[in-house]
Amino acid sequence: MVRFVSGRGIGFAVAATLLISITYSYTRFLHVNQTTVALSFLLAILAVSAVWGMVVAIFMSFSAMLLFNYFFLPPIRTFTIVDPQNWVALGAFLITSIVGSQLSARIRREADAAHNRRREVERLYSFSEKLLGEGNVIQLMNAIPNHIVECFEAGAAELFVPQKDKFYRSGYGAAQIDEEKMKAAYVLDETNSDPEKLLHFVPVRLGVKPIGSLGISGAVLSRQMLDAIGSLVAIAMERARAVEQLSETEAERQGERLKSALLDSIAHDFRTPLTAIKAAATDLLASGGRNAQQQKELLTIVNEECDRLNHLVEEAAEMAKLESGEFELHLQPVAISTLVEAALGHLKKALGDRRIVVNAGEDLPLVRADLELAKDILVQLVDNANLYSKKEFPITVTAEQGCEMVTVSVADRGPGIDPFEQGLIFDKFYRGKDQRYQVRGTGMGLPIAKAIVTAHGGSISVTSQLNSGSVFSFTLPVALRREER
């Protein structure tokens, strides 16, 4: 109020200064006709009314009329008007100045209102952006009061959530907000404001149902703004709850999918060796008259199936270790030829007499890798190619140099992979729908390979066409040359 009065006082002073300046200039220095004087007064009145409003403009209009009459209408320096036309001119001047001032003040008010509305929209947009950036319900509820203080320049803010009977307060200011009035705003579903104390109590309403309330102090906010804030907070809270529930549902769905895949893997891969071991052991116990050769064959079956079970358990343990990050890379410069030889040597028994074509030039640079882990990548890919393609077709291993990577590819002539499944085969326990019951495996080989490649800073991908085979490719970074270190 004091600011308003002092501002209006400045307006009166400016108006008086302008009137005196115009009058003095036209009576002492510039001799102009009455029309020019009237227009000069009128322009000054319009300018003052645009800045200081209608009251100052009316004061200036009457003052200008008196000055115009006294100094510029004959007889000069008297308030007497002889010519009736001058009465008309004086009245027209007064009416024009008042109407012009009113229009100017109206335009100013509308411009101020438009500016305020734009400012409110900007604040609401900033507030909604901050609400969308919060992760979960708890974080959102703790952040809402702080966001209100920041976006709307409030002194303090509080959020009341009746479901938890808890108040969430902003960390700004020392203003205390009446919590009983906040509860009343929720119960009565009414917005209450105290303009003198700059206190606002707003229900947080979702549709027609209140789900909480807000208390805001130290900010000048309109009723529409308060309702908009309450609605935004309600929508943000409901959205956060919905996202949280969706995440939980998706996690449960993924858990069930992995559980089903694991059970399927156990049913078809663990049961087969266990059945063979059980049959061989039962046969050994039941028939004491078998010769040494028959006993050796049965014990060989038991030994091989135990190795198979051990391999399955090792894969599961390796997958868990890679996912948890509990492993250390022993990086060193490794030749691609060394990597290929190590992988093929590991698979010598599984491959048998299968033909392997290796296309790796001697001029390939060394790669920066952990030899044992990098060997496992190639072992998994070559073993997959061996299992999923006919023995009469060769497996081709190719290595090519890129810009900063060496790409190693394993190609087979198997049945190929459906385009839909190409994005799923690197998931844990996933196995092709057409092959899962025909080829042994747990669906952990490719995820293990992907985890090792990722740990090396490379990438792995597949290109496949049905009935034409598949090409699995992975990249490893080139080791720095000695002069580049």
Side-chain angles (χ1 to χ4, degrees), residues 291-456:
N291 57 38
Q293 181 61 31
Q294 291 173 329
Q295 290 181 357
K296 184 178 179 180
E297 290 177 358
L298 291 172
L299 288 173
T300 301
I301 292 173
V302 172
N303 183 56
E304 289 178 350
E305 296 303 328
C306 284
D307 287 343
R308 184 175 170 185
L309 278 175
N310 186 50
H311 175 68
L312 295 175
V313 173
E314 284 178 351
E315 276 193 335
E318 186 175 6
M319 188 72 243
K321 185 187 294 185
L322 289 169
E323 282 198 331
S324 64
E326 296 178 356
F327 69 98
E328 183 178 354
L329 292 176
H330 300 285
L331 299 173
Q332 58 183 331
V334 177
I336 293 296
S337 57
T338 303
L339 185 63
V340 174
E341 288 173 7
L344 295 181
H346 183 87
L347 291 169
K348 186 175 182 180
K349 183 177 179 181
L351 292 172
D353 58 354
R354 179 137 194 187
R355 190 160 69 95
I356 307 295
V357 179
V358 179
N359 298 321
E362 295 181 357
D363 58 342
L364 286 173
L366 301 179
V367 295
R368 187 168 177 267
D370 184 312
L371 178 58
E372 285 302 314
L373 288 175
K375 179 198 74 175
D376 286 346
I377 304 170
L378 203 53
V379 165
Q380 297 290 356
L381 298 184
V382 174
D383 190 38
N384 259 19
N386 184 48
L387 290 173
Y388 287 94
S389 62
K390 294 180 180 180
K391 302 298 181 183
E392 58 266 25
F393 295 119
I395 297 172
T396 304
V397 179
T398 305
E400 298 175 340
Q401 181 180 358
C403 182
E404 297 179 353
M405 295 281 184
V406 172
T407 303
V408 182
S409 304
V410 177
D412 63 59
R413 298 185 190 176
I417 304 169
D418 189 279
F420 170 74
E421 291 188 303
Q422 291 179 24
L424 301 173
I425 57 175
F426 293 103
D427 292 346
K428 289 184 297 182
F429 306 119
Y430 184 84
R431 301 187 65 206
K433 57 183 175 61
D434 296 327
Q435 304 293 328
R436 64 182 63 178
Y437 300 115
Q438 301 176 22
V439 181
R440 64 178 177 82
T442 59
M444 287 188 288
L446 290 177
I448 288 174
K450 181 180 179 181
I452 296 173
V453 170
T454 303
H456 280 80

Side-chain angles (χ1 to χ4, degrees), residues 127-134 140 144 147 232-233 236 239:
F127 182 54
S128 63
E129 260 193 332
K130 290 179 181 294
L131 293 181
L132 290 174
E134 299 299 332
L140 176 67
I144 283 172
H147 291 334
L232 284 175
V233 169
R239 172 187 168 278

Side-chain angles (χ1 to χ4, degrees), residues 27-176:
T27 55
R28 291 288 183 179
F29 306 109
L30 301 174
H31 299 287
V32 295
N33 58 34
Q34 298 168 356
T35 304
T36 302
V37 175
L39 289 175
S40 299
F41 280 136
L42 188 59
L43 288 174
I45 292 168
L46 292 176
V48 168
S49 66
V51 179
W52 283 281
M54 192 65 187
V55 175
V56 178
I58 291 175
F59 159 76
M60 192 173 181
S61 297
F62 279 99
S63 300
M65 180 193 70
L66 295 175
L67 291 172
F68 186 54
N69 179 20
Y70 188 79
F71 288 101
F72 301 101
L73 290 180
I76 303 300
R77 298 188 183 280
T78 66
F79 289 105
T80 303
I81 298 176
V82 178
D83 190 348
Q85 292 183 1
N86 290 338
W87 281 105
V88 176
L90 198 61
F93 170 78
L94 181 60
I95 293 171
T96 302
S97 62
I98 292 176
V99 172
S101 301
Q102 187 176 13
L103 292 175
S104 179
R106 180 180 175 183
I107 291 171
R108 175 177 173 269
R109 287 194 302 270
E110 291 179 352
D112 290 343
H115 175 74
N116 291 334
R117 285 194 296 270
R118 181 181 62 81
R119 181 69 179 138
E120 287 181 351
V121 170
E122 289 175 351
R123 289 179 173 182
L124 286 172
Y125 176 75
S126 174
F127 182 54
S128 63
E129 260 193 332
K130 290 179 181 294
L131 293 181
L132 290 174
E134 299 299 332
N136 56 50
V137 176
I138 301 299
Q139 289 179 350
L140 176 67
M141 290 179 178
N142 281 300
I144 283 172
N146 289 333
H147 291 334
I148 291 175
V149 172
E150 290 176 2
C151 294
F152 302 102
E153 300 175 359
E158 287 189 22
L159 169 67
F160 171 59
V161 181
Q163 291 179 345
K164 299 184 178 182
D165 194 23
K166 187 175 180 180
F167 290 88
Y168 297 88
R169 300 174 178 85
S170 65
Y172 301 87
Q176 294 295 322

